[in-house]
Every structure is written in C-alpha cells, then in structure tokens.
C-alpha cells in the first residue's frame, strides 16, 4: 500500500470553483430543474434529523425535497414546514414498492437521518440502498444509514457516486481506530466512493489514491445536534450540481463545499447566539453565507 498523503485544501481556488458549479437562477427553468432531493429516514423518536436534511437542501437551492419516513413521524415532520413533501410509507409492508417510483425522479438520495435502528426499517433502507447502487443513483449515507454498513461494507465497494459522512464515532465503527488499517479499508471502497470524515478539521478521503484532503478549522465550540443533518442536506444538492456541471471529481467537490458551508454557518450563528445556538439558527444564516461565498457574482 502506498503512503497516505494528507493535503490541505486550497480554499481560494476551491471557492472560485464552487461559484462555477452553482447554477444561475434564470427564468427559463421549471420547478425541479435546480434539484430534487430525497431523504430516507424519520422515525417517531427522530423527526428533526430528516427535517433539517431536507429543508437545508432547499435553503441552499434545491427546488423539491422529499422525506420518506414512518407513518407516525410524518405529521410531525410536516408540521415543521409546509415546503417539504412527506411520504408516510417507510414502515408499510410494501414500502420498497411505494418508494421505488419516486427514486427515479430524484437526483440524489440521502439515506440515514433519523432512520433509527428498527430491524424492519433497516431492512427496507438496505433494499432501497441496494437499488440506488444498482442504478447508480447518487447517494449520501449518513447517521443510521452508516449503521447498515458496519457489517456489510462490501455493499458499497466498487460502486459509483457514493458519499459517506461519518462523525468520529461512526468513523471508528466503520474503519477502526488504527490509522493504517483504516486507510486500507477505505482503499478497498474503490474510486466511486468518497468519505467525508467530520470533526474539528473535516477530512475528505479519496480511496485508491490514498489521499486525504483536510478542510480548515472553522465554526465554534458549540456542537449542538442537527448540524450533521444540515451538512448531509447541503451535500446532496452540491453533489447534484457538481455532477450536472460535469466536474471531474464531483463527490470531492461537493464534500468540500458542504463542509465549508456548515462551518461558516456555525461561525455566523455563534456570533449572534453564542452558547444558545441551535441547528435551526444555522438555517437562518444560509442565505447570507451562501450569497457571500457561493453565489455567482454576475447573478
């Protein structure tokens, strides 16, 4: 195995590239052309996670965002926002058959936010993931979606257009504590999978090349729940835009963009709210931060 190379991301160059990927808002587009995102997750205990994922994708610029959740979570998630399309089907006996037609219409699927650990729900999510991988539907796997991979990493090995977003604990469960052993496991994923390891310094792992791109420090010391969900939602729409603009490394670019955005959102919100900062406060900063750092200057 070749040595692992850790490379600091060059932000000015990256920000310039981000701006070329973000589509201009024009009057000749129709609803859905700027992005249609699907979120598979949401159980009775965890309704906030799929909401934050879905709504953040729309706040960043997706036109439509669908949430596929269990029946008892649907009304709660709908009450958070009328902007989301919520399907109460994840725990139905024919869940896969109900969801499958919708997957064809969506650009990127996020699997995991608020999914929970119910074995039946996990089995349904696994079948949906397998279908997405089979048809090369771009997928972001987060939170309890990563739990599916703990005993079945082969499911994604060699597949295309897959991004994993583990936090520190999830990363250890997937790849272990030993850095060399972890790098070997990651290298077996293939060149179609990218791992965004969340932490003080987010790190983007590129399998096969044994390259790790480290994002700069950012944000604040406030680590309230929900920020990872904002990352997976923004990542999904950045992923679609990067693929749509035919970038040579779309998953890498999308991972960098979402990492940078969420750190900036945290920093902006922390200046206003300090210790009382919540994930919902970050949502309110998306417009200002996005316009300053991502929007085309000639828009």
């Amino acid at each position: 195995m070749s040595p692992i190379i850790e490379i600091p991301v060059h932000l000015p160059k990256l920000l310039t590239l981000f701006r070329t990927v973000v589509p201009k808002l024009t009057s000749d587009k129709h609803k859905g052309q700027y992005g249609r995102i699907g979120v598979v997750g949401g159980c009775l205990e965890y309704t906030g996670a799929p909401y934050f994922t879905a709504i953040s994708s729309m706040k960043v610029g997706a036109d439509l965002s669908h949430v596929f959740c269990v029946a008892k979570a649907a009304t709660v998630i709908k009450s958070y926002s009328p902007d989301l399309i919520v399907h109460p089907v994840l725990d139905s006996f024919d869940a896969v058959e109900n969801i499958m037609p919708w997957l064809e219409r969506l650009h990127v699927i996020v699997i995991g936010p608020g999914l929970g650990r119910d074995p039946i729900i996990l089995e349904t999510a696994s079948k949906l993931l397998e279908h997405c991988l089979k048809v090369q539907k771009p997928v972001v796997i987060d939170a309890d979606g990563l739990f599916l991979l703990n005993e079945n990493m082969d499911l994604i090995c060699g597949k295309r257009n897959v991004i994993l977003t583990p936090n520190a604990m999830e990363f250890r469960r997937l790849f272990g504590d030993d850095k060399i052993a972890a790098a070997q496991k990651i290298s077996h994923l293939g060149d179609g999978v990218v791992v965004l390891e969340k932490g003080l310094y987010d790190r983007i792992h590129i399998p096969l090349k044994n390259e790790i791109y480290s994002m700069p420090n950012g944000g604040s010391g406030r680590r309230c729940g929900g920020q990872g969900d904002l990352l997976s939602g923004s990542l999904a729409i950045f992923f679609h835009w990067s693929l749509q603009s035919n970038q040579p490394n779309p998953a890498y670019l999308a991972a960098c963009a979402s990492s940078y955005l969420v750190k900036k959102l945290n920093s902006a919100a922390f200046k206003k709210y300090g210790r009382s900062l919540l994930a919902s406060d970050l949502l309110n900063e998306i417009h200002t931060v996005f316009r300053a750092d991502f929007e085309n200057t000639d828009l």
Side-chain angles (χ1 to χ4, degrees):
M1 179 177 166
S2 58
I4 301 168
I5 304 171
E6 187 144 354
I7 307 167
V9 168
H10 187 256
L11 267 183
K13 182 179 179 180
L14 206 60
L15 284 170
T16 300
L17 187 56
F18 289 162
R19 295 186 188 106
T20 67
V21 168
V22 175
K24 295 181 180 181
L25 296 175
T26 64
S27 57
D28 61 351
K29 299 285 188 181
H30 60 72
K31 181 176 63 178
Q33 286 189 284
Y34 288 115
R36 301 183 294 272
I37 305 302
V39 180
V40 178
C43 61
L44 188 58
E45 296 86 355
Y46 302 114
T47 57
Y51 160 74
F52 281 127
T53 299
I55 201 66
S56 61
S57 72
M58 293 192 71
K59 289 283 237 177
V60 170
D63 286 338
L64 297 167
S65 196
H66 296 248
V67 176
F68 302 93
C69 62
V70 305
K72 289 185 177 180
T75 302
V76 180
I77 297 171
K78 284 182 180 181
S79 73
Y80 296 151
S81 173
D83 299 292
L84 306 180
I85 302 168
V86 183
H87 306 262
V89 297
L90 198 54
D91 54 347
S92 63
F93 73 94
D94 54 352
V96 175
E97 290 75 14
N98 280 325
I99 298 172
M100 204 76 78
W102 287 100
L103 297 183
E104 299 174 6
R105 310 179 194 182
L106 304 175
H107 294 117
V108 178
I109 309 299
V110 185
I111 297 179
L115 189 64
R117 300 288 178 86
D118 182 284
I120 296 175
I121 304 302
L122 288 174
E123 183 179 355
T124 297
S126 182
K127 290 178 180 177
L128 293 171
L129 175 57
E130 288 178 11
H131 173 76
C132 289
L133 296 172
K134 181 180 179 181
V135 301
Q136 296 191 19
K137 177 73 66 178
V139 176
V140 174
I141 307 176
D142 186 38
D144 286 327
L146 297 168
F147 182 76
L148 294 171
L149 304 179
N150 285 342
E151 301 298 329
N152 191 17
M153 189 66 76
D154 290 342
L155 186 63
I156 60 169
C157 288
K159 303 301 182 181
R160 308 295 307 173
N161 296 329
V162 179
I163 305 177
L164 312 184
T165 59
N167 58 27
M169 183 177 296
E170 291 162 343
F171 187 87
R172 287 195 297 270
R173 288 173 182 163
L174 287 170
F175 304 111
D177 292 312
D178 184 81
K179 290 184 178 181
I180 296 176
Q184 289 176 334
K185 288 182 179 179
I186 291 172
S187 69
H188 293 151
L189 295 176
D191 62 356
V193 181
V194 163
V195 180
L196 169 52
E197 179 189 0
K198 298 177 289 191
L200 179 62
Y201 299 90
D202 289 352
R203 304 163 83 226
I204 296 106
H205 299 254
I206 311 298
L208 291 187
K209 291 185 177 181
N210 289 321
E211 293 176 347
I212 303 174
Y213 289 85
S214 56
M215 295 294 291
N217 186 15
S220 71
R222 179 66 169 141
R223 294 287 187 261
C224 62
Q227 295 180 77
D229 304 309
L230 269 72
L231 184 139
S232 63
S234 59
L235 173 58
I237 189 59
F238 279 130
F239 197 10
H240 168 57
W241 289 342
S242 298
L243 287 163
Q244 194 176 45
S245 59
N246 295 315
Q247 289 296 319
N249 300 296
Y252 161 73
L253 183 60
C256 291
S258 59
S259 169
Y260 176 82
L261 174 65
V262 173
K263 299 272 190 188
K264 289 282 286 188
L265 295 176
N266 181 290
S267 179
F270 187 76
K271 290 176 183 177
K272 296 180 180 179
Y273 303 106
R275 190 179 294 273
S276 65
L277 178 151
L278 298 173
S280 52
D281 298 318
L282 271 67
L283 286 175
N284 296 327
E285 300 298 326
I286 290 178
H287 170 71
T288 302
V289 171
F290 192 93
R291 188 168 183 81
D293 290 345
F294 290 89
E295 203 72 84
N296 287 313
T297 54
D298 59 345
L299 192 65

